[in-house]
Structure formats: C-alpha cells, structure tokens
Amino acid sequence: VFALIVFACLVGEGYTNLPSSPQLFCIFNHNEDACRYGIGIGVLAFLACIFFFMVDIYFPQISNTTDRKYLVLADLGFSGLWTFLWFIGFCFLTNQWAWTQARDVHIGADSARAAITFSFFSIFSW
C-alpha cells in the first residue's frame, strides 16, 4: 500500500510546470532522477508484493522442501534489498526536497511530502 501511495503521489503531482511554460519538470529540485527513482521503486515494490503474495498462497501446496527453502530465502533477500532501496529513496527524496526552491512549487507540495513520508514508512514495512 505504501508503494502505491508513493507511486501515485509522484505520478499525480510529482511533475509540474511554471505558469509561463508548458515544459514539465520534477517537483524535487527539477531532478528527474528523483521522480523516476520514486516511481520505479514504487512500481517494482508493488509488483514484488503481488508476486510474493501469490507465493504465500501456493506455499502450502509446494511439497519440495528445497523449493520452499529457496522461496523463503528469495523473499528474505528481496525484502532486505528493498528495505535498503527504500532507505536510499527516502534520503534522496528528502535531500532533493530540501534543495527545492519555494518559488518553483506551485502545486504538489503535499504530494511530495506524502511521497517522502510513505517512503520512510516503507523502510519499516519491508
């Protein structure tokens, strides 16, 4: 759920433009990489959650203990990696938000703060 919120905030209001220009830019200090990173880890985290949820549903039907072991290790390893990536995302978005000029933010400040907040919550949920 947190990944969907981060993704939705960045896709919905993460890109904005100046009143005098139709050119869109990322709300996080005009750094396109900040928006791309948040969107990317949000989408991949959501897809991974769906995959591991399906694995959990079919887990009792898997009779081979070796396969079960590898699935549990894959889940544990992926969760550790994604915890680290969410931490990097939180630090990156927070840093870029701190450097963002107030005059560049017309709409979307709440979405940017929500993306930062829920990327922080995602660290603990993963």
Side-chain angles (χ1 to χ4, degrees):
V1 173
F2 294 155
L4 279 176
I5 293 171
V6 171
F7 167 74
C9 287
L10 292 177
V11 169
E13 291 184 351
Y15 291 94
T16 188
N17 63 333
L18 297 174
S20 60
S21 171
Q23 180 69 29
L24 290 175
F25 59 88
C26 181
I27 198 167
F28 290 98
N29 195 28
H30 294 250
N31 188 346
E32 298 295 322
D33 292 332
C35 286
R36 285 187 208 128
Y37 186 83
I39 291 169
I41 62 172
V43 168
L44 292 176
F46 179 70
L47 294 175
C49 284
I50 291 173
F51 172 75
F52 285 117
F53 181 69
M54 297 303 290
V55 167
D56 286 344
I57 289 174
Y58 290 113
F59 193 77
Q61 298 171 356
I62 300 171
S63 61
N64 190 349
T65 57
T66 305
D67 291 342
R68 282 182 167 206
K69 175 183 155 186
Y70 289 136
L71 286 172
V72 169
L73 288 175
D75 190 3
L76 182 66
F78 187 83
S79 295
L81 173 68
W82 229 249
T83 300
F84 177 72
L85 291 177
W86 276 117
F87 176 72
I88 297 296
F90 167 72
C91 292
F92 186 36
L93 292 177
T94 303
N95 183 7
Q96 292 304 304
W97 185 246
W99 285 99
T100 301
Q101 301 291 325
R103 61 180 161 77
D104 292 338
V105 181
H106 301 285
I107 297 174
D110 291 336
S111 289
R113 288 187 202 104
I116 291 170
T117 302
F118 283 99
S119 65
F120 178 74
F121 293 156
S122 295
I123 295 168
F124 301 107
S125 68
W126 277 96

